[in-house]
Amino acid sequence: MRNSDKLPLEFLEKVKALNIEVTPIKILRSSTFNFGKSNILVQTASDLGKRYFFGLNYINAEEIYKLDNSFVAFICGSIDEVVFLPTEILVKHLFYQY
């Protein structure tokens, strides 16, 4: 199993260890979960020399954006390096011109 395949499982175990209820959400074959009161799309990438490629599908981003209190968790090569981005900000930058 590749590291990028293991990272979401490690991330979920860490969340569960904090006694947060984790429930999968079916959104177009994505790794989306309900963590307590938040809805989170988990994206992983391997470390490519401090550069990361996540391959986020804009349709998945738009679908998670429709959920209340939603975020994207970008796992940057390790579960010790995770960036949480509110989907409101992400979608604004993906779809709208300034």
Side-chain angles (χ1 to χ4, degrees), residues 8-72:
L9 299 175
E10 291 178 31
F11 180 74
L12 292 174
E13 289 303 317
K14 198 165 195 175
V15 171
K16 289 177 184 177
L18 298 171
N19 292 323
I20 297 172
E21 186 176 331
V22 176
T23 308
I25 301 172
K26 296 211 183 243
I27 295 183
L28 303 172
R29 302 170 88 194
S30 67
S31 298
T32 305
F33 303 89
N34 176 269
F35 294 165
K37 296 180 180 181
S38 298
N39 297 295
I40 300 177
L41 171 63
V42 179
Q43 293 286 290
T44 61
S46 296
D47 186 348
L48 303 172
K50 299 299 175 191
R51 297 178 75 186
Y52 305 96
F53 176 77
F54 292 95
L56 177 62
N57 182 323
Y58 75 91
I59 295 171
N60 287 346
E62 192 172 39
E63 289 299 312
I64 188 75
Y65 172 71
K66 294 176 184 177
L67 300 175
D68 291 333
N69 200 29
S70 60
F71 298 84
V72 177

